[in-house]
Amino acid sequence: MYRNHLRIATAEGIPATIFATLLGGPFLTGFLLYLGATAGEIGFVIALTTLVNVGQVIVAFLIQRLHKRKWVLILSVFLHRVLWGATGLVPFIFAKELWVPAFIMLYISAFVANAVIGVVWASLIGDIVPGRLRGRYFGIRNTILNALGSITLFVGGFLLDKYPGGQGFLILYIIVWICVVMNVVIFLFYPDAPFERSAETKFVPMLRKPLYDGLFMKATWFLACWLLLQTLVVPLYSYVMLEVLHVSYSITSTMTVVQTIFMMISFYFWGNMNARFSNKTLLYWTLPFIAASCIAWSLNAIIPTVLALLIIHMLLGVGVGGFNQLSFNFIIGDTPKNDRPMFIAVYSAITGLTSFIGPLVGGKIFEWIEPLPRWVQVFGFQTAVGILLLLLALTVGRKVLKNPNPHSF
């Protein structure tokens, strides 16, 4: 029976991946530039997706009153997909000066619903996938969905180059709405595993469980600090390519395809390694790849731009692919089952807050350094952040994530 459940969970990810790919990444940046957004506004929009995760702490408490999670998940998915898809109507409904504010309002509403999805889906999928299969299953699932994402990126970039401006984005949003319908329908077939609720019934005692777990909190605070630095530059890679380097949509999307391909390769590698090493140890090994990706922007000074971008995105794919997969395995595998929703929520709230601050500050920094020599925007800022990340990994990261004694730091 569980094999059928895993197939449904994988099938659900197909339209969801196409949907998120065409509305996120370089296409999100491109659509915001089309609407007239500044670098600061783009950083703010990117950051919003993680800020709302702070509300997951409340969600984790409220879902304890549920016996079944499926219909709450379906309602949240419906609201998220419809509201985010509705951003495509902004140029048709609002005056031009209201395009960016209207987009932001719809975007915020969509990701409030997504905060609910984050807790409920992670809690449910953690119960659906047997513990012994998690590393391999998520490795295979992520590989399949990222392969699809690569194709989607390539097709989306081709369409925007062939049909520039509003016409190209209109085509993308038509595809998006088809995926919205498909995704919601597939969720109707989702399994609804029995929900083992926390023994605590009050909010504060329930919140204390993760907050008083020393090993969990040390890892969470380190990863939050890491994401604060990482998100100063990584979410704005597309902005630098499109607005600073002035490369085309097709090249920008191709770079994201390269990143996704290397993510797929890394999913298989990290998934197999997960059978031999702990989630936290493998998380540590992903950090130098992400730092190296930021430092590799300095290659723009000595080699052709396209070659430098290829190296940057190959390193990022290996690093971020492993980081995302292993951090997810960490919060659903290294936490107590009955209290897992609150552990997930606390992790998401803390890392969400720092991941909100990162792109917001990063976008402003790109505005502030615009009058400086061009090399500062092209690679100077990114390289400086990469060096800081590498130092953080080799010092604090080594102590927190790669400690030979699992019972002490």
Side-chain angles (χ1 to χ4, degrees):
M1 177 63 72
Y2 78 87
R3 292 182 183 276
N4 185 51
H5 294 166
L6 299 186
R7 283 192 287 267
I8 293 171
T10 302
E12 168 272 315
I14 293 173
T17 296
I18 298 172
F19 170 90
T21 301
L22 294 180
L23 293 185
F27 304 119
L28 173 61
T29 303
F31 190 58
L32 285 167
L33 290 171
Y34 168 73
L35 295 179
T38 64
E41 288 170 333
I42 292 171
F44 176 68
V45 168
I46 293 171
L48 281 172
T49 60
T50 55
L51 177 64
V52 296
N53 288 343
V54 174
Q56 290 189 350
V57 173
I58 303 299
V59 175
F61 172 68
L62 293 177
I63 68 169
Q64 295 296 328
R65 305 184 179 201
L66 301 174
H67 291 283
K68 300 290 185 178
R69 291 161 286 184
K70 176 177 176 177
W71 290 105
V72 172
L73 178 62
I74 291 173
L75 177 60
S76 303
V77 166
F78 174 80
L79 290 173
H80 172 255
R81 305 312 193 238
V82 169
L83 289 167
W84 197 3
T87 56
L89 301 175
V90 166
F92 300 98
I93 296 176
F94 297 95
K96 191 168 186 177
E97 61 271 17
L98 296 177
W99 283 3
V100 174
F103 178 96
I104 291 173
M105 291 304 297
L106 286 168
Y107 196 77
I108 291 173
S109 301
F111 279 87
V112 168
N114 194 56
V116 180
I117 296 172
V119 175
V120 180
W121 186 81
S123 169
L124 183 58
I125 200 72
D127 291 340
I128 291 172
V129 183
R132 70 185 186 280
L133 298 178
R134 282 185 191 134
R136 181 173 293 274
Y137 169 72
F138 286 115
I140 294 172
R141 182 180 189 269
N142 290 339
T143 300
I144 293 171
L145 298 183
N146 278 273
L148 178 63
S150 298
I151 297 171
T152 305
L153 280 164
F154 179 79
V155 173
F158 170 79
L159 289 172
L160 287 182
D161 278 339
K162 186 173 179 62
Y163 304 100
Q167 185 179 6
F169 285 112
L170 176 61
I171 296 172
L172 295 192
Y173 270 94
I174 290 172
I175 299 171
V176 160
W177 275 99
I178 294 172
C179 291
V180 168
V181 175
M182 291 175 61
N183 193 217
V184 173
V185 169
I186 295 174
F187 262 109
L188 295 174
F189 296 92
Y190 230 68
D192 195 2
F195 186 24
E196 295 185 25
R197 295 180 290 177
S198 173
E200 303 291 348
T201 57
K202 295 183 178 180
F203 178 73
V204 173
M206 196 181 297
L207 182 60
R208 282 200 193 109
K209 289 284 187 75
L211 293 180
Y212 282 29
D213 188 318
L215 296 177
F216 173 79
M217 289 307 299
K218 285 181 180 180
T220 296
W221 279 116
F222 168 75
L223 294 174
C225 293
W226 176 271
L227 287 169
L228 175 62
L229 282 175
Q230 176 184 314
T231 54
L232 287 173
V233 293
V234 171
L236 294 163
Y237 276 13
S238 294
Y239 171 79
V240 176
M241 288 187 283
L242 291 169
E243 197 71 0
V244 179
L245 295 174
H246 302 293
V247 301
S248 66
Y249 280 112
S250 59
I251 291 179
T252 302
S253 59
T254 298
M255 293 305 156
T256 311
V257 169
V258 169
Q259 176 186 329
T260 306
I261 289 172
F262 276 80
M263 284 178 67
M264 290 159 48
I265 296 171
S266 77
F267 287 146
Y268 180 79
F269 169 78
W270 296 119
N272 283 337
M273 293 289 284
N274 212 182
R276 299 172 54 197
F277 300 96
S278 72
N279 293 316
K280 289 203 295 184
T281 296
L282 291 178
L283 260 175
Y284 173 76
W285 291 351
T286 69
L287 305 183
F289 288 99
I290 299 172
S293 170
C294 298
I295 296 171
W297 280 90
S298 60
L299 294 174
N300 278 285
I302 56 176
I303 63 177
T305 296
V306 172
L307 181 58
L309 293 175
L310 282 171
I311 295 171
I312 290 164
H313 286 84
M314 284 189 283
L315 290 168
L316 186 65
V318 175
V320 170
F323 185 93
N324 291 343
Q325 179 169 313
L326 291 161
S327 60
F328 182 76
N329 288 351
F330 165 64
I331 60 172
I332 71 168
D334 295 1
T335 54
K337 184 175 182 180
N338 288 4
D339 295 295
R340 186 177 295 149
M342 187 58 77
F343 274 80
I344 294 169
V346 167
Y347 174 86
S348 298
I350 294 173
T351 57
L353 184 59
T354 56
S355 297
F356 166 74
I357 296 170
L360 194 62
V361 174
K364 284 297 181 184
I365 291 175
F366 273 108
E367 288 185 358
W368 295 336
I369 64 178
E370 192 171 349
L372 299 180
R374 187 170 178 270
W375 67 267
V376 179
Q377 288 190 78
V378 173
F379 64 84
F381 177 42
Q382 297 91 309
T383 301
V385 171
I387 292 171
L388 289 175
L389 285 170
L390 189 58
L391 292 173
L392 183 64
L394 295 176
T395 54
V396 182
R398 184 177 182 84
K399 183 179 179 182
V400 173
L401 297 180
K402 195 175 183 291
N403 195 295
N405 183 356
H407 300 294
S408 67
F409 285 91

